[in-house]
Amino acid sequence: MPDTVFRAVLDLGDLPLELPALPTRFRNPVLNADWFVEDEGEGDEEEVAVFSVELEGGQLHLETTAGGVDHHFHGADGEETDNSPWPKRETRDLLAWALALVEHTLPLLEDLTEDAEEAADWHHEGLRVYARDFGPVPLEIVDVAIPGEQMMLPWLGSGRTDHLHADDEAHSLLLTWNPDDADPETPIVRAWLDAGTGEPVSEAVAGVDWVAVGLPEEEVRAWFEAFYLNHEVLGDPAELIMRAALNRIAGLG
């Protein structure tokens, strides 16, 4: 499918937002946010919001619950740490900027998460504009570049398939299969991103009975490489819409 520009009409609160100055080295952050309800057990639930700020050299994560806002960092190696990978003064300014962004966005985030997911559904249906009845509130028009997915047929082999993430440095996906109408548990193909070409590649798991699978190995590998491209390489439309909304709130685009 071709790349598209999708337009979403969203409630982002009163803008422009006055934020503390962001240090020059942090001028191009990659923003994301998620809102969900966490099961605390014994019928108790808690609303949780998670904000991430990805920067050169590391990431800042902020998590809000009823108890307040906690934060931690990830270094360049991706490992979680309580210690900032940046100098103390710049970290202090980054935190002030991020906390002000969270304070503005948090009351909007539940609805914004729902809108981003619904807008992504509209995009999948081939529509180019998303808007719902927000009532008399200030709205923003956000244009989002969404890369085109590779067209795929449904699974045409026998049984059922699913996928899971492999625990390896290549961030591989495993295609799992079951010959019956049951949870797929048998890995049959592994796919990952080739560092040299930037394209998905795959290999079959040894010992697979391809006659039982119902498709030749080459067809299954090609099908799963397309699946990997769509799900692991191309940006998720809901995430791209959320990111564009956060950029607009932060005055970054």
Side-chain angles (χ1 to χ4, degrees):
M1 295 176 64
D3 295 354
T4 59
V5 176
F6 185 80
R7 175 164 289 183
V9 183
L10 303 170
D11 177 10
L12 304 182
D14 291 322
L15 299 179
L17 179 63
E18 293 293 332
L19 289 171
L22 191 62
T24 302
R25 70 184 299 167
F26 300 143
R27 289 298 183 186
N28 296 301
V30 177
L31 306 177
N32 211 343
D34 192 17
W35 179 95
F36 55 92
V37 176
E38 192 171 72
D39 185 0
E40 296 288 293
E42 299 183 357
D44 294 331
E45 295 181 336
E46 183 174 38
E47 296 181 2
V48 180
V50 178
F51 294 80
S52 67
V53 185
E54 184 175 346
L55 304 152
E56 184 176 353
Q59 298 178 28
L60 167 64
H61 288 198
L62 304 100
E63 180 175 301
T64 74
T65 62
V69 182
D70 293 321
H71 74 273
H72 64 267
F73 303 93
H74 290 256
D77 58 2
E79 292 296 321
E80 181 177 331
T81 174
D82 291 330
N83 299 317
S84 171
W86 307 288
K88 183 179 295 184
R89 181 173 180 177
E90 291 180 325
T91 298
R92 181 195 64 200
D93 293 343
L94 172 63
L95 275 170
W97 180 87
L99 287 169
L101 179 64
V102 168
E103 182 180 10
H104 174 89
T105 308
L106 188 58
L108 308 167
L109 190 57
E110 179 181 359
D111 287 341
L112 187 55
T113 301
E114 181 180 329
D115 289 340
E117 292 172 352
E118 187 174 14
D121 290 339
W122 287 34
H123 164 72
H124 286 304
E125 293 296 325
L127 303 176
R128 296 296 183 91
V129 179
Y130 167 80
R132 66 175 174 88
D133 183 7
F134 290 92
V137 296
L139 299 173
E140 294 286 325
I141 297 174
V142 179
D143 289 333
V144 188
I146 299 181
E149 293 186 349
Q150 186 164 333
M151 295 293 293
M152 291 184 62
L153 292 171
W155 175 252
L156 299 178
S158 65
R160 288 173 54 190
T161 62
D162 202 345
H163 68 280
L164 56 85
H165 288 84
D167 185 16
D168 60 20
E169 293 183 358
H171 305 289
S172 305
L173 279 188
L174 291 172
L175 176 64
T176 55
W177 171 75
N178 192 307
D180 303 313
D181 189 22
D183 291 339
E185 297 177 347
T186 303
I188 59 174
V189 172
R190 182 175 77 94
W192 67 98
L193 196 66
D194 184 273
T197 66
E199 296 292 331
V201 292
S202 66
E203 64 179 7
V205 175
V208 174
D209 183 349
W210 297 105
V211 174
V213 170
L215 289 172
E217 174 188 334
E218 293 75 13
E219 288 188 25
V220 176
R221 288 179 54 193
W223 184 88
F224 196 50
E225 287 172 10
F227 181 95
Y228 186 96
L229 177 70
N230 289 343
H231 288 262
E232 298 295 311
V233 180
L234 302 180
D236 174 67
E239 183 176 317
L240 294 175
I241 292 165
M242 173 64 76
R243 187 174 298 167
L246 294 171
N247 284 346
R248 177 63 59 82
I249 292 171
L252 301 175

